[in-house]
Amino acid sequence: MPSIFSRIISGEIPGQIVYRDELVTAFRDINPLAPVHILIVPNTEIATVDDVEAAHEAAMGRMFTAARQIARDLGISESGYRLIVNVKDDGGQEVYHVHMHLLGGKKLGRMLSSE
Ligand code: DGP
């Protein structure tokens, strides 16, 4: 069964898409944790970073160049931003389709709490 993100990429379910090319698609997170919260997703379904192979390197690299472009488009490239990729259970991954969170538009504080 396609992931929820594959269904957004295909247009089967709605998403606020901000960027799309032949390798990746980016859309606004449904539950934003910052004024800018975008998910950058490879168009090919890969469950986790633990499943990434050499054949995926172009899409993985494109996630970064797309992040740079989206940050510029949304006006946060000068103020800065954070990129996060959660992996599996301890990493807090909820959707098993690789994705990069692009967060910004405010000071994000420390990377992790000390809990
Ligand atoms: P993660 O914990 O890294 O797997 O983050 C998954 C993110 O996906 C979470 O911030 C909420 C977001 N999300 C889940 N379902 C949907 C959806 O249907 N649409 C959108 N736009 N985002 C979703």
Side-chain angles (χ1 to χ4, degrees):
M1 193 174 114
S3 75
I4 189 84
F5 292 165
S6 288
R7 295 169 69 196
I8 292 171
I9 291 166
S10 71
E12 184 190 334
I13 62 171
Q16 288 185 274
I17 291 173
V18 299
Y19 177 95
R20 186 198 293 276
D21 66 27
E22 80 282 12
L23 291 176
V24 305
T25 301
F27 46 85
R28 293 188 188 275
D29 194 290
I30 202 167
N31 183 25
L33 300 176
V36 173
H37 188 168
I38 305 294
L39 301 172
I40 304 168
V41 183
N43 295 339
T44 301
E45 205 166 308
I46 306 160
T48 83
V49 168
D50 192 51
D51 301 294
V52 166
E53 298 174 358
H56 303 133
E57 285 175 359
M60 297 298 102
R62 185 67 61 81
M63 290 166 75
F64 280 91
T65 48
R68 182 194 62 178
Q69 185 62 48
I70 295 161
R72 291 179 180 187
D73 291 346
L74 299 182
I76 59 168
S77 58
E78 294 296 324
S79 52
Y81 50 92
R82 181 171 295 160
L83 302 173
I84 298 174
V85 180
N86 296 322
V87 183
K88 295 188 175 175
D89 194 33
D90 277 3
Q93 184 174 3
E94 294 174 352
V95 177
Y96 276 61
H97 182 157
V98 166
H99 52 282
M100 176 186 280
H101 296 255
L102 165 57
L103 296 143
K106 70 171 187 179
K107 286 213 181 294
L108 295 169
R110 293 175 62 86
M111 190 167 67
L112 288 174
S113 72
S114 53
E115 291 168 22

